[in-house]
Structure formats: C-alpha cells, structure tokens
Amino acid sequence: MEVIISETYEDMSRAAAKAVAKLLNSKPNAVLGLATGSTPLGAYKELVRIHKNEGLDFSQVTTFNLDEYVGLKKDHPQSYHYFMHENLFKHINIPPQNVYIPSGTTDNFVAFCAWYEKRIRECGGIDLQVLGVGSDGHIAFNEPSSSLGSRTRIKTLARQTIADNARFFDKIADVPIYAITMGVGTILEARSILFLANGEHKADAVAAAIEGPVTSMITASALQLHPDVSCCLDRPAAGKLKMIDYYKWVQEKHPSAPQGT
Ligand code: F6R
C-alpha cells in the first residue's frame, strides 16, 4: 500500500484528482469506480476544474458507482444518482449512457445486482476504484461482518452508518435502512484503488484498515490484500497510524527511488 499524507483536505483532494487525471491521460477510455459522500467532493471539484481549464476529456470514460440507497428515486436530493449528477457528471463531458449507478428502485434487486456485475465485466473491469471509508471501517456499504468475498447485493445499513449519514437528511428516521452495494470481492477486482479519508473522525477506521488485521469487522482492511492501493489521507485522518514516520520517509525518498517502486 502506498500511503500519501497531505497537510490539508484540499491538498489531499488535489493528489486524488491528479491520480485520476493521470490515468485518463494515458487511457482515455478508462473505467472508473466512483464513491459518493463528503470525502471525494474536493477531488470531484478538482476534476471539474481540470476538465474546464486543462481540457481533461471524459468522452470515452465509463463509470460505475459503488452504491445507492434502496427506495430513493434518482431525483431525490439525497440519492447517489442526484449526488453524482450535481457534483460531477453535469460539469464534465461524460456521455450519460456511460454512467452506471446501482438502482435503488428496481423491482428485481437480485436480477439487477447480477446485471451490474455482468456489466462491469463486459466493460473490461474497473481500472481505478475511488473509495471513502465509514467511521465503522466500511467500504461502499459493506458493513462490519460483510463477507470479504461479497458481490453486489442488498445490505442492511449499520446503526452507526445511519447515524453518520443522518446529517444529510431532515431527520434520522428519513435515512434509508437498506442499500444496494458492490461487494468487497467486486471492489478487490478493480485493477487499482484510490482510498481517500479525511478528518480526525476517520483516524481509527484508517489505522484499522491500513495497519490492523485483515478482518470482515473492518471491511476496508481487505484492501491490504490488493496489490495496487494508494491511500490519500489528510493529516488528521492519518493521526493514529503507527508507521506514520515510515510513510513520510517513503514519500520523501520516492523521487529518487528506482523506477517501478
Ligand atoms: C459512498 C460510500 C461510503 C462512503 C463512506 C464515507 O458511496 O461508498 O462507503 O465512502 O460512508 O462517507 P463520507 O465520505 O460521507 O464520510
């Protein structure tokens, strides 16, 4: 795992957007896996800026989102469809037919989940998966105790996640209880992973994910099994990492390291 620690959220977001832009510049028809939530907002804003000011092209890009709340229509202001449209898609030149987001309103969730997995494979698999992390260590909506081999399916949200996400709704009772989510196994098949976290409230989850044992109780810890993960953290989120001096040393020595390091 590469651990990149930035002083601020803005620096972290720029580093994340730069990694996405680098991929798109070398592979214009890349397949991106995308996350919602507060964490990637700065990176999406920066990608929009690079698109507008430097011409970053999304015309051949395909995207697959991680998850969606069950029961929310696409135009619900808290749906992840709405979030992605407002914060990224309406500002860039991605063709709407290249955008895939799990349906929260399908009448056949089992068939939809199987189709979503099939569509990812048919598009050649995900080149770069952007991830945030829940305060309970979840990636996508793979709550503690989710199988590390899980595939796209319905999950019941943990009470902690419902409480964390209540800030986006008028009241906690409005937060959906179920979500459709890519599984940990689905995520681990991405060719590379960009794991983002900011804020002190994520420090425990980040430390457990990067330095703790691999366990279904912290599904982000499964990323330790993946050969190509970059963790972009701001300083508060990195605050509980035991090996922080080593990560900083690696960052410092990176420019002179042999190619491929
Ligand atoms: C969202 C998602 C979730 C969030 C996580 C952190 O698509 O997959 O795992 O990344 O809940 O959310 P924020 O960024 O709002 O703290």
Side-chain angles (χ1 to χ4, degrees), residues 55-253:
L56 183 65
D57 182 26
F58 289 83
S59 65
Q60 298 176 63
V61 171
T62 300
T63 61
F64 285 90
N65 261 81
L66 288 167
D67 40 23
E68 178 58 287
Y69 288 118
V70 167
L72 298 196
K73 294 204 179 107
K74 287 181 182 178
D75 59 357
H76 188 289
Q78 297 313 330
S79 78
Y80 289 168
H81 280 79
Y82 189 88
F83 175 101
M84 290 309 300
H85 182 71
E86 288 302 305
N87 293 298
L88 184 64
F89 298 143
K90 80 173 186 191
H91 306 289
I92 58 174
N93 65 332
I94 189 162
Q97 67 273 19
N98 289 11
V99 166
Y100 295 90
I101 302 177
S103 168
T105 53
T106 172
D107 50 17
N108 188 338
F109 281 100
V110 173
F112 184 90
C113 292
W115 175 81
Y116 204 69
E117 291 271 339
K118 185 166 144 278
R119 211 53 212 122
I120 295 173
R121 282 195 302 275
E122 286 167 354
C123 291
I126 292 171
D127 290 302
L128 176 68
Q129 175 67 58
V130 176
L131 292 178
V133 64
S135 59
D136 63 0
H138 70 218
I139 46 174
F141 276 133
N142 294 289
E143 299 290 28
S145 81
S146 292
S147 158
L148 300 186
S150 52
R151 314 300 308 188
T152 303
R153 69 212 183 290
I154 299 277
K155 276 299 289 185
T156 306
L157 300 184
R159 285 198 174 97
Q160 176 73 55
T161 302
I162 292 174
D164 286 350
N165 291 359
R167 69 191 191 278
F168 298 114
F169 292 81
D170 289 340
K171 51 184 191 309
I172 195 163
D174 292 343
V175 184
I177 290 169
Y178 306 101
I180 177 168
T181 179
M182 277 190 207
V184 181
T186 320
I187 292 168
L188 290 180
E189 280 173 9
R191 282 183 269 281
S192 61
I193 291 179
L194 194 52
F195 175 76
L196 310 179
N198 67 288
E200 205 183 337
H201 61 301
K202 296 292 175 71
D204 284 319
V206 165
I210 297 176
E211 296 179 338
V214 174
T215 166
S216 63
M217 294 309 287
I218 301 282
T219 52
S221 67
L223 300 177
Q224 293 175 33
L225 300 170
H226 193 284
D228 188 355
V229 180
S230 298
C231 305
C232 288
L233 313 172
D234 73 354
R235 188 159 292 274
K240 293 201 173 163
L241 289 170
K242 290 195 184 77
M243 300 276 289
I244 191 158
D245 287 340
Y246 175 68
Y247 307 135
K248 284 198 243 158
W249 166 255
V250 172
Q251 252 178 284
E252 202 182 298
K253 296 294 158 200

